[in-house]
Amino acid sequence: MERFDAIVIGAGHAGCESALALARTGNKTLLLTISLDAVAFLACNPSIGGTSKGQLVSEVDALGGEMGVNADKTAIQIRMLNRGKGPAVQSLRAQADKNLYHQEMKKTIEKEKNLYLRQGEAVDISLDKEDKIVTTSVGLKYVARALVFATGVYMESEIIIGKTREKTGPNGFKNSHGLSKSLEKLGVKLVRFKTGTPVRLHARSVDFSKMEVQKGDDEISTFSYLTKKPIENKAKCYLTYTTLETHEIIRNNLDKAPAISGEIVGIGPRYCPSIETKIVRFADKDRHQLFLEPEALDTQEMYLQGFSTSMPSEIQKEMVESVIGLEKAEIMRDAYAIEYDCIVPTQLNPTLELKTIKGLFFAGQINGTSGYEEAAAQGIIAGINANLYLKGKDLLVLKRNEAYIGVLIDDIVTKGTNEPYRMMTSRAEYRLLLRQDNADLRLTEIGRKVRLVNDERYQIFLEKKKKLKEIEKVLNVKVKLDARLVKFYEAHDENPPMESVRYRDMLKRVGITIFDIKSEFKILEEYDYNLLEKMNIQIKYEGYIKQQEEDIEKALANEKVKIPDDFDYDSVKGIRMEAIEKLKEIKPLNLGQASRISGVSPADISVLSILVKRNKHGN
């Protein structure tokens, strides 16, 4: 029986971040995966980032993770989404080379000292005091004090196309048998969820002339603060639409759609529905957007985003050929739905540690979430906390005002989820503070404290802070009121000032940006686009930011009131029984978390607050 400090089961996006975090903080770590060919595999859309997800990737990077670095290395097109909207909802999205992404992450893992990558199927977990023993399908046993479950959608998974069911994982990879029963023996509650993926088409069969080209950005940002080389846009994506014929084909065959007919029992994601669900739910729409995106540079396969389905193969062909530009499309891979087991996430602490077993952590889609980015975000936190557990230190909990990662984890462990959870900007009440451009300023010091941010990354961070101070100093300089200043204001449809004005005060005007000032007054020319954009946002929105900071200060009062682990809810008078049952189930760490539990009212919190404070003072 081989001993490690930590074992990570599953080498998807959560497992890779967990294993790297553990190994980089000095732990001998085993990364166990069903297939080495599935390491960091982009099983669905070959893209990283997107609305709110881009923020997650930059936060993982700021903490010392790998997803942003790898996405930058392998991106073939990159765009900032929602450029025309406010900075709170702007998010970076990269089309990644699917094959390169897997290869580069596998190389990174193979080169990491303390990290041992091993192909093998975990089938049983047992406990021996503090030790967790993992047994594989061929009888090998591995033991460690810390264990991270990051099995994705592989537990007892089934691929569904029409009436055909196949016990396999995504993309034809082997699935996982036995772990579900093993977890249930440990007292872990499971649920059945479902997700899906669209068809893959041969590029030669597509009439791109009927579609709208989606190009990458000229001003190219990156996910990682370590990336020095600009990303080159090497590929184009395309926008097309369904037709009335598409909708008619789907409506005529709804009895064959497992997602509609009840053949699929797993709960699917509301925010990423199948195309047949869209047609039923939005019956008034006569077309739906679809995006055709390259899978990689070394293949002709293209991904039809927005066209997820589990219809029979022959119906899929009819549906695809009814789409604009796809009249002669060749399907290379059928779309499919996948059902799988995952855990009820309210069984976890905000540290992602199972409440009932110390040193056992869960991360990624096994926690009922969807998406590569959500998985990586949980993965790095589980890895950080598994390391802190091994070192006997306090575990890390990111607050909702500190990171999208904090919002994501708090949501799933406090409220639970009755569908695959997807991160969205609307879930974050302090999203103006949790922007993509300031992820490093929010989180790098935390990553350094837990020993995951290395010297190179930290020096880049310190240099950025230094340059931002220099920019701020320049912007505090006053410009005298003269004809040139008046003309500058008028050129940007703004009323001129009545006296001399600082550069930073100019930025308070809607029509004036830091780049306008740079161009007109020949200042700040040595600073790059991203630094200037960050300062532009910071100054333009500082009034709103100050208001959010005041709101946070009020909200944090409840976060500071800790609830003891052994608090006796059953003896409490004045709180409704429904609330007591919820509180006993979730076991919130503090009053703030308690207030976010569904079914616990403000009146319940008022009573609980009095009792917790009385208990604290021994009354």
Side-chain angles (χ1 to χ4, degrees), residues 41-87:
F41 190 71
L42 300 170
C44 196
N45 190 1
S47 71
I48 300 293
T51 306
S52 77
K53 292 169 178 276
Q55 279 89 329
L56 288 173
V57 180
S58 289
E59 289 176 357
V60 168
D61 183 73
L63 287 168
E66 197 65 26
M67 177 173 264
V69 174
N70 208 53
D72 289 344
K73 271 189 210 171
T74 60
I76 55 178
Q77 189 196 85
I78 197 155
R79 287 194 298 151
M80 184 68 78
L81 303 186
N82 298 325
R83 273 197 187 274
K85 299 181 180 178

Side-chain angles (χ1 to χ4, degrees), residues 84 185 201 239 294 353 454:
K185 280 194 293 183
L201 307 174
L239 169 64
E353 184 180 40
N454 61 23

Side-chain angles (χ1 to χ4, degrees), residues 157-192:
S157 60
E158 287 186 281
I159 296 292
I160 304 159
I161 302 174
K163 291 190 177 297
T164 304
R165 281 181 174 261
E166 187 178 358
K167 294 182 183 298
T168 185
N171 215 62
F173 290 120
K174 183 180 177 184
N175 70 348
S176 168
H177 295 292
L179 279 182
S180 292
K181 287 182 180 176
S182 186
L183 285 174
E184 285 177 327
K185 280 194 293 183
L186 294 174
V188 179
K189 296 176 191 171
L190 303 179
V191 290
R192 194 88 171 149

Side-chain angles (χ1 to χ4, degrees), residues 529-581:
Y529 172 87
N530 290 326
L531 281 171
L532 295 177
E533 177 65 3
K534 193 228 167 295
M535 188 58 70
N536 189 57
I537 293 168
Q538 189 68 29
I539 292 174
K540 275 193 177 296
Y541 290 88
E542 64 184 356
Y544 297 103
I545 290 169
K546 185 179 178 183
Q547 181 60 57
Q548 282 209 346
E549 286 171 343
E550 290 172 1
D551 293 342
I552 288 166
E553 199 58 41
K554 293 173 188 173
L556 284 180
N558 274 344
E559 303 290 331
K560 293 173 183 174
V561 182
K562 306 296 181 188
I563 302 175
D565 288 340
D566 59 354
F567 188 83
D568 185 6
Y569 291 103
D570 287 321
S571 66
V572 170
K573 304 257 190 251
I575 296 181
R576 295 166 306 116
M577 282 303 300
E578 179 197 358
I580 287 175
E581 290 305 311

Side-chain angles (χ1 to χ4, degrees), residues 126-405:
S126 56
L127 306 176
D128 182 12
K129 296 179 182 176
E130 289 189 342
D131 285 339
K132 288 83 185 168
I133 301 164
V134 178
T135 304
T136 71
S137 59
V138 294
L140 292 175
K141 291 183 184 292
Y142 303 103
V143 61
R145 280 183 55 224
L147 174 61
V148 179
F149 255 88
T151 51
V153 299
Y154 283 79
M155 288 203 316
E156 304 298 337
S157 60
E158 287 186 281
I159 296 292
I160 304 159
I161 302 174
K163 291 190 177 297
T164 304
R165 281 181 174 261
E166 187 178 358
K167 294 182 183 298
T168 185
N171 215 62
F173 290 120
K174 183 180 177 184
N175 70 348
S176 168
H177 295 292
L179 279 182
S180 292
K181 287 182 180 176
S182 186
L183 285 174
E184 285 177 327
K185 280 194 293 183
L186 294 174
V188 179
K189 296 176 191 171
L190 303 179
V191 290
R192 194 88 171 149
F193 273 3
K194 164 255 174 186
T195 186
T197 189
V199 293
R200 268 61 164 189
L201 307 174
H202 198 301
R204 72 182 175 198
S205 66
V206 176
D207 187 348
F208 295 111
S209 67
K210 294 182 178 179
M211 301 179 179
E212 298 173 34
V213 178
Q214 303 283 294
K215 294 180 180 179
D217 285 343
D218 294 325
E219 286 283 359
I220 299 176
S221 302
T222 59
F223 286 111
S224 177
Y225 305 104
L226 291 176
T227 302
K228 297 181 177 69
K229 187 180 177 183
I231 293 170
E232 182 183 347
N233 285 310
K234 301 173 184 174
K236 294 175 183 175
C237 299
Y238 297 86
L239 169 64
T240 187
Y241 297 91
T242 60
T243 63
L244 290 174
E245 183 187 354
T246 315
H247 300 193
E248 189 66 20
I249 292 167
I250 291 170
R251 288 192 191 100
N252 290 341
N253 290 281
L254 285 176
D255 60 319
K256 301 180 183 72
I260 305 291
S261 67
E263 181 79 19
I264 291 175
V265 297
I267 302 166
R270 235 179 336 142
Y271 302 105
C272 189
S274 65
I275 187 66
E276 51 265 32
T277 302
K278 287 182 193 174
I279 301 307
V280 171
R281 189 183 297 167
F282 306 106
D284 58 319
K285 287 188 175 289
D286 56 13
R287 69 176 189 171
H288 290 276
Q289 280 190 340
L290 303 172
F291 293 90
L292 197 61
E293 302 168 336
E295 291 260 290
L297 295 179
D298 64 353
T299 179
Q300 290 293 300
E301 285 187 77
M302 299 198 77
Y303 176 96
L304 189 58
Q305 185 189 338
F307 208 80
S308 176
T309 183
S310 54
M311 282 281 200
S313 296
E314 64 273 14
I315 306 300
Q316 289 190 31
K317 181 174 170 57
E318 287 183 52
M319 290 160 58
V320 168
E321 289 176 350
S322 69
V323 171
I324 295 169
L326 302 181
E327 294 85 358
K328 297 181 180 179
E330 300 169 24
I331 295 177
M332 296 180 74
R333 300 182 200 239
D334 287 323
Y336 61 81
I338 183 168
E339 281 190 330
Y340 54 95
D341 287 346
C342 54
I343 74 163
V344 176
T346 52
Q347 298 167 99
L348 304 175
N349 284 317
T351 58
L352 296 181
E353 184 180 40
L354 192 69
K355 291 172 182 174
T356 54
I357 301 173
K358 296 291 183 186
L360 181 54
F361 297 85
F362 290 79
Q365 286 185 272
I366 191 174
N367 289 344
T369 59
S370 70
Y372 313 137
E373 303 82 3
E374 289 90 340
Q378 294 168 73
I380 196 168
I381 297 300
I384 286 169
N385 280 331
N387 168 63
L388 294 171
Y389 165 78
L390 290 168
K391 302 293 194 293
K393 296 182 178 179
D394 290 340
L395 305 192
L396 174 66
V397 176
L398 292 178
K399 301 184 190 72
R400 296 181 72 90
N401 65 292
E402 290 178 315
Y404 268 86
I405 297 175

